[in-house]
Amino acid sequence: MRIILASASPRRRELLSQIGLDFEVIVSEVEEKVGAMLPEQVVEELSVRKAEAVLGAIGDSAEDVLVIGADTVVALDGQILGKPGSPQEAAEMLRRLSGRNHGVYTGVALLYRPGSAGSRDVPGPSVSTEGSGDSGALQRRIFHERTDVAFFSLAEEEIAFYVATGDCMDKAGAYGIQGMFARYVKGITGDYNNVVGLPVGRLYQEAKEWLR
């Protein structure tokens, strides 16, 4: 089984390694613009596009292939907060999140393609199979997880200090819960790993029939 993570995120790499998967990384370069509006739809659509781009790039294979695409956003009052484009934008995001609750959404797309050397038919209602009567056809599972996060109130000097570290710049919502910003997190409801960038518990449960 060849497992491919279609993401450059070091945090997603760490999480997949943590659950014992042997995988490689091929970064998808798709444009992160979608027609969907709801955060759960946005992350699912982007995760699928990333996974499809990588699967198409690698071509046919004699071995089974599982491509994992993922995307994470923060949503506050119905508005999606992605990665900040500047330190000023990061500071503004943190001001908006200060003392508030918000949702973190991660979409995951699992694309499984049996290799040309042999194929397995994988049953289950959550599997969508492309093609008719072909056990070697592409199969996919697409889902999202939401975790609710509450912040303590942030003083201006705390925001300025954190933004100056640069840790905010490659993260949705301009913060990383697994780093020093944890000092400002009041609590979470849901999967902690989902906030880091990948709900690996559910991912494994969705994919384990293919991983046997």
Short mmCIF file of all heavy atoms in Angstrom, two decimals, residues 155-162:
data_model
loop_
_atom_site.label_atom_id
_atom_site.label_comp_id
_atom_site.label_asym_id
_atom_site.label_seq_id
_atom_site.Cartn_x
_atom_site.Cartn_y
_atom_site.Cartn_z
N ALA A 155 -4.88 40.75 25.53
CA ALA A 155 -4.47 42.15 25.57
C ALA A 155 -3.71 42.48 24.29
O ALA A 155 -3.16 41.60 23.63
CB ALA A 155 -3.58 42.40 26.79
N GLU A 156 -3.68 43.75 23.94
CA GLU A 156 -2.99 44.18 22.72
C GLU A 156 -1.51 43.77 22.73
O GLU A 156 -0.97 43.36 21.71
CB GLU A 156 -3.12 45.68 22.52
CG GLU A 156 -4.40 46.11 21.84
CD GLU A 156 -4.54 45.56 20.44
OE1 GLU A 156 -3.56 45.60 19.66
OE2 GLU A 156 -5.63 45.06 20.11
N GLU A 157 -0.88 43.88 23.90
CA GLU A 157 0.54 43.52 23.96
C GLU A 157 0.73 42.01 23.78
O GLU A 157 1.76 41.57 23.24
CB GLU A 157 1.17 44.00 25.27
CG GLU A 157 0.52 43.50 26.54
CD GLU A 157 -0.53 44.46 27.07
OE1 GLU A 157 -1.12 45.21 26.27
OE2 GLU A 157 -0.74 44.45 28.30
N GLU A 158 -0.25 41.21 24.21
CA GLU A 158 -0.16 39.77 24.00
C GLU A 158 -0.31 39.41 22.53
O GLU A 158 0.40 38.54 22.00
CB GLU A 158 -1.24 39.06 24.84
CG GLU A 158 -0.98 39.13 26.34
CD GLU A 158 -2.12 38.57 27.15
OE1 GLU A 158 -3.30 38.79 26.78
OE2 GLU A 158 -1.84 37.91 28.17
N ILE A 159 -1.23 40.09 21.86
CA ILE A 159 -1.40 39.88 20.42
C ILE A 159 -0.13 40.28 19.68
O ILE A 159 0.37 39.54 18.82
CB ILE A 159 -2.60 40.69 19.90
CG1 ILE A 159 -3.90 40.11 20.48
CG2 ILE A 159 -2.64 40.69 18.38
CD1 ILE A 159 -5.13 40.92 20.14
N ALA A 160 0.42 41.44 20.02
CA ALA A 160 1.63 41.92 19.34
C ALA A 160 2.79 40.97 19.57
O ALA A 160 3.57 40.68 18.64
CB ALA A 160 1.97 43.33 19.83
N PHE A 161 2.92 40.47 20.78
CA PHE A 161 4.01 39.55 21.09
C PHE A 161 3.89 38.26 20.28
O PHE A 161 4.86 37.79 19.68
CB PHE A 161 4.03 39.23 22.58
CG PHE A 161 5.02 38.17 22.96
CD1 PHE A 161 6.38 38.46 23.05
CD2 PHE A 161 4.60 36.87 23.21
CE1 PHE A 161 7.30 37.47 23.39
CE2 PHE A 161 5.51 35.88 23.56
CZ PHE A 161 6.86 36.18 23.64
N TYR A 162 2.68 37.70 20.26
CA TYR A 162 2.51 36.44 19.53
C TYR A 162 2.70 36.63 18.03
O TYR A 162 3.36 35.81 17.38
CB TYR A 162 1.12 35.86 19.82
CG TYR A 162 0.88 34.57 19.07
CD1 TYR A 162 1.62 33.42 19.38
CD2 TYR A 162 -0.05 34.48 18.04
CE1 TYR A 162 1.43 32.23 18.69
CE2 TYR A 162 -0.25 33.30 17.36
CZ TYR A 162 0.49 32.19 17.68
OH TYR A 162 0.30 31.01 16.98
#
